[in-house]
Amino acid sequence: MTNSTLTAIPGFRVGHWTDSVGMTGCTVILCPDMGAVASASFLGPSPATREGVLLSPEKKVERVHALLLTGGSAFGLAAASGVVRVLEERGVGHQTPFARVPIVPAAVVYDLGVGDPLARPGEREGELAARSASSDPVPRGRVGAGTGTTAGKYLGGPGTVPGGLGSVMLERYGVSVGALAVVNPIGDVLDERGGVLAGPGTGPGAVSFTPGDVENTTLIAVVTEHTLSKADCRRLADAAQTALGRVIHPSHTYWDGDAAFMLSSCAKPPADPLLLGALVQEAVCAAVRDAVRQANNLSV
């Protein structure tokens, strides 16, 4: 089977842990053992993250060894400790005088209102996701961190649909990127023509409704082999955020806490920055749409 997901980019592996009863889960992206140069962009009033500050371009550590995307709100950040355990066992991490320290940034979505609010990924679940990570095509839909996600929530219950997890790989002129999206926005998800793919489609303000402050977040991870600096990764993470404005309406609202990560294995020479930036944005849009289609069994 042809792999057209993030794991088609050599060196990157993805694993899920899914609780289909409690309606939550977590997803781990393992980088090559030497790590990946990485940065991130965080928008919205309530991002819940681990190692987020470390990803700023001016900070010293450049490479990360895995990325955790998880449900369970802030409780889910505990799953990162399980990923760290697996990497330590494998001798993977940032070299310090006395130990290798795995660097594992993480970000969460709020899914506590969908299933059991006490069902949350923890250290054991993060470990299981990391141990299951492979280069096989990424399972998509209501799996991993996308298990309990929803979209189109600005009217309350009516019109709310599963958001899911999606992944794509795009390649043009020898330049390739892979993207993975965990889709949990308050807004609608739009299709390629600007029509509503998921959500009520009537626009905010149709009824009197105040969304929950922490219930909406879309998480994006984009990877490439083409060499990037940490500052380059930050610029492309910002570009990934702007792409959400093309595929989610409204996007980056007062109630969203979106996070976008950009990772490079630096295994290939730098690519044309304009082409790479365009591919990053197209891949983000495609991954968001793929998540909704897979979660709702919609045709392309």
Side-chain angles (χ1 to χ4, degrees):
M1 180 173 63
T2 301
N3 186 357
S4 58
T5 67
L6 181 148
T7 49
I9 304 298
F12 292 93
R13 293 159 286 163
V14 172
H16 299 308
W17 174 82
T18 301
D19 180 352
S20 57
V21 176
M23 295 302 294
T24 190
C26 60
T27 297
V28 175
I29 300 173
L30 295 185
C31 303
D33 286 352
M34 73 288 296
V37 175
S39 191
S41 177
F42 304 107
L43 295 179
S46 301
T49 66
R50 165 186 162 129
E51 303 279 31
V53 173
L54 186 69
L55 296 172
S56 298
E58 73 275 10
K59 303 305 179 186
K60 180 180 178 182
V61 174
E62 289 196 342
R63 291 180 178 254
V64 305
H65 303 95
L67 174 65
L68 170 74
L69 307 178
T70 181
S73 189
F75 299 106
L77 291 173
S81 295
V83 183
V84 169
R85 176 188 297 169
V86 172
L87 293 175
E88 183 183 29
E89 287 179 3
R90 298 175 180 176
V92 173
H94 175 70
Q95 184 65 61
T96 72
F98 300 103
R100 286 189 176 273
V101 180
I103 307 299
V104 182
V108 309
V109 294
Y110 186 98
D111 55 5
L112 302 182
V114 177
D116 181 355
L118 297 180
R120 307 154 185 167
E123 184 171 348
R124 175 180 174 275
E125 290 73 25
E127 179 180 345
L128 291 172
R131 294 195 188 283
S132 74
S134 77
S135 57
D136 294 339
V138 178
R140 295 120 65 212
R142 304 190 82 175
V143 296
T147 302
T149 56
T150 50
K153 297 189 279 283
Y154 52 84
L155 299 187
T160 299
V161 297
L165 180 148
S167 185
V168 301
M169 187 278 287
L170 298 182
E171 182 176 8
R172 289 185 189 163
Y173 306 106
V175 176
S176 57
V177 301
L180 186 149
V182 179
V183 181
N184 195 46
I186 189 172
D188 297 321
V189 175
L190 307 181
D191 65 19
E192 290 80 357
R193 297 184 178 182
V196 175
L197 183 62
T202 55
V207 297
S208 178
F209 173 65
T210 301
D213 283 344
V214 296
E215 297 172 7
N216 314 284
T217 293
T218 296
L219 307 179
I220 299 294
V222 184
V223 306
T224 187
E225 291 184 276
H226 301 285
T227 296
L228 297 171
S229 68
K230 200 174 181 184
D232 293 334
C233 286
R234 173 57 186 271
R235 284 189 287 269
L236 289 170
D238 288 339
Q241 289 277 20
T242 64
L244 290 181
R246 293 162 49 180
V247 71
I248 295 173
H249 177 74
S251 65
H252 302 121
T253 72
Y254 182 83
W255 299 278
D256 288 284
D258 304 317
F261 300 86
M262 184 74 209
L263 297 85
S264 169
S265 65
C266 299
K268 286 185 175 181
D272 176 81
L274 186 59
L275 175 56
L276 186 59
L279 279 177
V280 165
Q281 292 189 315
E282 290 179 26
V284 167
C285 292
V288 170
R289 293 177 180 127
D290 180 62
V292 168
R293 287 178 170 131
Q294 295 291 330
N296 295 278
N297 298 313
L298 301 176
S299 59
V300 177

